[in-house]
Amino acid sequence: MRFMVMGKATVESEGGVLPSTEAMVAMGRYNEELVRAGVLLAADGLHPSSKGARVLFDGDDRTVVDGPFAETKELVAGYSILEVGSLEEAIEWVKRAPNASPGLVGEVEIRRIFAPEDFGDIATDEVKGFMDGVGEQGQADAERYRAEQRDSD
């Protein structure tokens, strides 16, 4: 099972305040531990919402709203993708993580990522084929398409 672990934004992260060197080293060591255990698939920090945008969908209409976004507690400052056997195992790994902002209260949300088997009968071969295009295979496909585009230019 794959889980997305989302580190919630704080006033500091939304203000562009970077973690200390010590916090970055502690997180790096923790991530190395996850890699050695074979559970870490991806991990990245995100720039503040002031450097992002939202696209709102209303029927066929699309509206772009530039950041920053008001509700800091609802924003994500970073994420990781873990592959573990259960939610309980994901929780145990997350509890071992260092606090990127010592002295502040941080919040992490853990959500299971859908897998093809979660879709039952609607996961036709065609649907499964699209699902296989995500992740490593999707990255390989994107590289191939970019190379083809460069070659045709």
Side-chain angles (χ1 to χ4, degrees), residues 34-147:
L34 293 169
V35 168
R36 282 193 303 274
V39 300
L40 184 64
L41 301 179
D44 288 297
L46 302 173
H47 280 270
S49 68
S50 60
K51 295 184 178 184
R54 289 182 176 160
V55 179
L56 306 176
F57 291 73
D58 185 4
D60 291 336
D61 295 331
R62 306 294 183 264
T63 304
V64 177
V65 179
D66 293 327
F69 307 116
E71 292 296 321
T72 300
K73 65 183 180 188
E74 295 177 6
L75 300 173
V76 176
Y79 72 93
S80 59
I81 306 289
L82 305 181
E83 186 159 18
V84 293
S86 66
L87 174 60
E88 292 74 23
E89 186 179 353
I91 291 168
E92 288 306 311
W93 277 110
V94 169
K95 286 169 53 177
R96 295 167 68 172
N99 185 348
S101 302
L104 299 174
V105 175
E107 181 180 352
V108 172
E109 182 176 335
I110 305 169
R111 305 264 303 273
R112 186 168 172 203
I113 297 172
F114 276 105
E117 60 270 13
D118 295 323
F119 291 95
D121 293 341
I122 68 167
T124 63
D125 288 342
E126 181 181 20
V127 170
K128 288 178 185 174
F130 293 128
M131 292 175 141
D132 288 342
V134 179
E136 289 180 22
Q137 182 61 46
Q139 292 170 358
D141 288 344
E143 285 301 317
R144 188 180 82 241
Y145 296 139
R146 282 191 207 103

